Amino acid sequence: MKRVVLLFAGLLLAISASAVEKRYVSDKLYIQLRSGPSQEYRILKVIQSGEHLIVLEENETEGYTKVKTDKGVEGWVLTRFLENEPIAKEKLILANRELEQLRAEKSTTQSQSSELQAELETVKSERSTLARDNAKLEKELERIMSISDNALALDEKTKKLTLRNQELEIQVETMTNENAQLRDDSRQTFLLYGGGLVFIGIFAGLVLPGLRGKRNNSGWS
């Protein structure tokens, strides 16, 4: 029986608890900006909670503080409604602003990271291109050096051939002069021989008939 009563009481408590409506106190508040430090002065403006105010003067006796709004309106408000820190709504706004700023900075950082990555890829590509160009230049340099070595060897060979050609020209000129001298000597010898033969012929033509005549005369006698 006790168990049934306890169970019934628990059900009633659960039903009553679920039937209670929960409410939260709103931080939305409006205060009056008056022309003087009491409720007897006229209202200049109604200020919403969270608005920024500049403190000009404080009247502790009346519990009022003279303030200045962002738009330059001066007046008195109850000191107990002023806080040194922003309200929860203002803090939430500031937190959201900071969050948006952090998101923007994150996006900027990601964008910069992407740009740096792209620049890195470009540098890698340029480095690869430079490496290929360097390899080509090294091969071209080797080819030029090989051509240069061949050119030097060819130049040396050309110099030797030029000297040999000059020597041969000198020899040819010497032999030509010697041949001309020999021809001159041969002509002179031929002339000498020819002159000798002519002289001998003349001599024979003049002397031999005389000798024959003497022989004939001696025979007749």
Side-chain angles (χ1 to χ4, degrees):
M1 185 65 180
K2 290 182 179 180
R3 291 180 179 178
V4 175
V5 173
L6 291 174
L7 180 60
F8 182 73
L11 290 173
L12 289 176
L13 290 174
I15 293 172
S16 61
S18 61
V20 174
E21 184 179 1
K22 293 182 179 180
R23 294 285 180 92
Y24 297 94
V25 178
S26 174
D27 63 349
K28 193 170 185 180
L29 178 68
Y30 294 93
I31 60 176
Q32 298 168 348
L33 181 67
R34 295 181 178 273
S35 60
S38 70
Q39 293 183 355
E40 296 177 357
Y41 291 91
R42 65 186 181 87
I43 299 174
L44 301 177
K45 183 180 179 182
V46 177
I47 301 175
Q48 186 178 351
S49 60
E51 186 172 343
H52 300 165
L53 300 174
I54 299 175
V55 176
L56 301 177
E57 182 182 347
E58 185 174 355
N59 189 336
E60 296 181 357
T61 303
E62 299 294 336
Y64 276 81
T65 299
K66 188 176 182 180
V67 296
K68 182 179 180 180
T69 65
D70 292 338
K71 294 183 179 180
V73 180
E74 296 183 4
W76 295 82
V77 295
L78 288 170
T79 305
R80 66 176 181 271
F81 292 135
L82 299 179
E83 296 288 343
N84 293 327
E85 295 182 358
I87 61 175
K89 180 181 178 180
E90 187 72 13
K91 290 181 179 179
L92 180 60
I93 293 174
L94 294 175
N96 288 332
R97 288 178 182 174
E98 291 179 358
L99 180 60
E100 291 298 326
Q101 184 177 358
L102 290 174
R103 287 176 178 174
E105 291 177 356
K106 181 181 178 182
S107 178
T108 302
T109 302
Q110 290 177 346
S111 177
Q112 292 176 350
S113 177
S114 299
E115 292 177 358
L116 290 175
Q117 186 66 28
E119 291 179 0
L120 179 61
E121 294 298 329
T122 302
V123 170
K124 288 182 178 179
S125 178
E126 291 177 352
R127 182 179 179 183
S128 178
T129 302
L130 289 175
R132 290 194 298 269
D133 293 342
N134 189 28
K136 291 180 181 179
L137 290 175
E138 288 181 354
K139 290 182 179 179
E140 183 67 17
L141 180 60
E142 290 178 358
R143 187 180 70 84
I144 292 173
M145 291 179 66
S146 177
I147 293 174
S148 178
D149 293 338
N150 293 333
L152 291 174
L154 182 61
D155 183 65
E156 186 67 22
K157 188 174 181 180
T158 302
K159 289 180 180 179
K160 291 181 179 180
L161 290 175
T162 302
L163 291 175
R164 180 59 179 167
N165 188 29
Q166 291 176 354
E167 292 176 356
L168 291 174
E169 287 179 354
I170 293 172
Q171 291 179 2
V172 169
E173 185 178 358
T174 302
M175 293 179 67
T176 301
N177 293 331
E178 290 178 353
N179 191 18
Q181 185 66 34
L182 288 174
R183 284 198 298 270
D184 292 339
D185 293 342
S186 297
R187 288 176 183 175
Q188 291 178 1
T189 302
F190 178 76
L191 291 174
L192 289 174
Y193 286 159
L197 291 174
V198 171
F199 178 76
I200 292 172
I202 295 171
F203 179 77
L206 294 175
V207 174
L208 289 177
L211 292 176
R212 289 178 181 176
K214 289 180 178 182
R215 287 179 181 178
N216 291 330
N217 292 327
S218 62
W220 287 104
S221 62

